[in-house]
Structure formats: C-alpha cells, structure tokens
Amino acid sequence: MPPHELSAIANRIRRRDLQAVFEAGAGHIGGEMSVIDLLTVLYFHTMSIDPADPHRDRLVLSKGHTALALYITLSEKGFLPKEEIATFLKHGSRLNGHPNRVKVPGVETNTGPLGHGLPVGVGMAKAAKLDGASWRTFVIVGDGEMQEGSNWEAIMAAAQFGLDNLTLIIDHNRLQQGARLAETNDLAPLAPKLEAFGWAVDDIDGHDIEQICKALSPETITAGRPKCVVANTNKGQGISFMTDNVAWHHKVPNEDQYKQAMAELEGAA
C-alpha cells in the first residue's frame, strides 16, 4: 500500500479516536495520536496478522493505555465491527481502557502495567527461535515507560539471545503523564543507549510514513541483533492545541475543542 493511502487510513483512525474519546468522556488521546502512524504501518503494510495463522507476526502494545487506537486499527482491519468502537469504556463493553487478549480479537497479550510488554515480547521472540519459526515480534513502548528497569533487563536478554526477529518501537513523544521526560528522568538520547546494549537502531520521524515503512522492513534486519526503532513523535499529533502539550495525556476535549480538532483533522484528510 503506498504512503498516501497509509496516511489516509491514519487520519481516519485519528478522527474516530477523537470522536470516541469525546463521546466516552475519557481516554488517553495525546499518546493515541502519537502512536497511530506506527500502528497504521504495522497493520496495513508490515505485519502478517491473520489470527488463524500460527505463523502470524505478533504485536505487543506495551503502552496499553492507548488501547483505543489499537481497537480502532483492529476494527479497520476487520477484527472488530466498526460500530463496536461506540461502546468504548461503557458498562459491559469488552473495549476497556487497556487491551485484553481474552476478550478482544487481535490482541496478543494484556498490557497496562508499564514495563511488562517488552519482557513478554522477548519471550515471544525467543519461542519463535526455539521453534525455528519465521514470524516477527513487534513491541511498542512509550519513552516514559523506558524508565522501568524491567525493560533494560529485557534489552540485555534480547541481545544475549540474538533475537533478530524482535523489533522494539519507542514512541518518543518526550512527554509522560504530568511532565516532560527531560524533567522526570532524562533518558534521551535513546539510540546510543540501545546500541551500547548490542541492538541495531534506527532513529526516525515517527510521523513520516515512508521512514516508518523502511525502518520496519525485514530488509533492514541485522542478523543476530534485535532491532530498535526510536520513533520521534508528537503527543497530540495532528491537532494544533494538543500537539506537544503535556496536559493532553488523558484530558478530554470540550465541545468547542472537539469541533476544532475534528475540523483540523478533516482538513488534513
């Protein structure tokens, strides 16, 4: 699928995400907007994801609080009825604030507590190696989440095991709940740290569809080394007053803000 079509899908997912957060009165819209381009490329360009195929690729959305973006992406791929997105966070809905693999088709593992997704992904990738399987494992984490020590233990293990079938994608939007990353525990620059642990690293614009496609391509894999893509993104991407604004970690737009945001996204379609 060409980049302009992927961009159109990403914009459609952003509009539906905005609507769902507004209608539900809750959500994590800032981080959802930053991760949507990455999810779009993974599901519509890079991954083999037929759930009936044991050789399918796996995605672990470790920053599970952005589950809504994943649900909408899955609905665009036919895993869920599109109309079910309207039930997000409602009583009895299976579309909770964090993804549940038992309830939601296409979800590979439950996430929410930060720092768990990458260790699970390392286990998946190691299992594939033991089975001689060719499928790949992708893990998306937030940059604030990289403060968790469990991630760095997993990073060491992945390098030790030579898991070149594992790709870690860091949604590097420079913000976390309530503060900037630099004000909390300044991990940047991330790329040289991963390289020091023996990983192959690409540092890209996480909203440039062509750059994302190239970085996730199997042609860029280095034999015997796990891959990390540091995706430089913007929290609230696509909406002027949300972009790079820490207040929009889980703030909900009022009616006027909703109309403005939707007009901006529709204008970019």
Side-chain angles (χ1 to χ4, degrees):
M1 185 177 293
H4 72 275
E5 292 185 18
L6 292 169
S7 293
I9 293 170
N11 185 279
R12 185 163 68 243
I13 293 171
R14 280 192 171 89
R15 297 197 306 271
R16 188 65 187 92
D17 191 289
L18 169 67
Q19 179 186 353
V21 168
F22 177 69
E23 291 175 348
H28 290 82
I29 193 167
E32 286 155 10
M33 295 295 148
S34 71
V35 81
I36 283 171
D37 293 315
L38 301 170
L39 289 171
T40 299
V41 171
L42 283 165
Y43 279 91
F44 291 89
H45 179 269
T46 303
M47 294 197 307
S48 172
I49 57 164
D50 180 356
D53 182 3
H55 302 293
R56 70 189 181 280
D57 295 330
R58 271 72 166 174
L59 171 71
V60 176
L61 181 66
S62 190
K63 47 177 289 180
H65 54 284
T66 59
L68 176 58
L70 177 60
Y71 298 151
I72 297 169
T73 304
L74 290 171
S75 75
E76 289 284 332
K77 287 295 292 185
F79 285 85
L80 304 169
K82 290 185 178 181
E83 57 269 22
E84 189 175 354
I85 300 301
T87 72
F88 176 61
L89 295 181
K90 290 185 178 178
H91 179 69
S93 173
R94 59 181 175 171
L95 304 185
N96 297 321
H98 295 86
N100 187 326
R101 65 176 296 275
V102 177
K103 295 181 178 180
V104 183
V107 173
E108 293 288 352
T109 190
N110 296 25
T111 54
L114 299 177
H116 289 192
L118 183 56
V120 171
V122 168
M124 290 178 170
K126 180 62 173 174
K129 286 288 188 183
L130 291 172
D131 286 345
S134 61
W135 50 269
R136 301 170 66 191
T137 299
F138 299 86
V139 180
I140 299 179
V141 303
D143 51 4
E145 182 179 1
M146 291 300 292
Q147 296 168 74
E148 300 285 354
S150 52
N151 280 326
W152 296 96
E153 294 178 27
I155 285 165
M156 287 188 284
Q160 177 68 27
F161 296 144
L163 300 181
D164 50 14
N165 57 346
L166 174 67
T167 298
L168 168 65
I169 306 168
I170 302 176
D171 182 8
H172 190 21
N173 61 30
R174 306 169 305 282
L175 296 171
Q176 59 188 82
Q177 181 174 341
R180 292 191 169 273
L181 186 66
E183 298 167 354
T184 309
N185 189 351
D186 194 2
L187 294 170
L190 287 158
K193 293 178 175 64
L194 271 293
E195 288 170 344
F197 278 83
W199 286 54
V201 183
D202 282 343
D203 200 306
I204 68 166
D205 179 343
H207 299 304
D208 185 308
I209 297 295
E210 291 189 38
Q211 287 189 37
I212 301 169
C213 289
K214 181 179 178 181
L216 298 181
S217 168
E219 286 76 26
T220 65
I221 292 173
T222 302
R225 298 175 69 189
K227 174 76 175 284
C228 175
V229 177
V230 179
N232 295 279
T233 61
N234 295 310
K235 205 156 194 167
Q237 173 72 11
I239 301 170
S240 60
F241 58 88
M242 293 186 191
T243 300
D244 198 37
N245 187 335
V246 70
W248 288 97
H249 181 77
H250 52 61
K251 186 176 178 181
V252 177
N254 60 34
E255 187 170 355
D256 289 340
Q257 290 169 328
Y258 171 71
K259 290 178 180 177
Q260 178 184 338
M262 189 62 75
E264 291 181 5
L265 292 173
E266 289 174 345

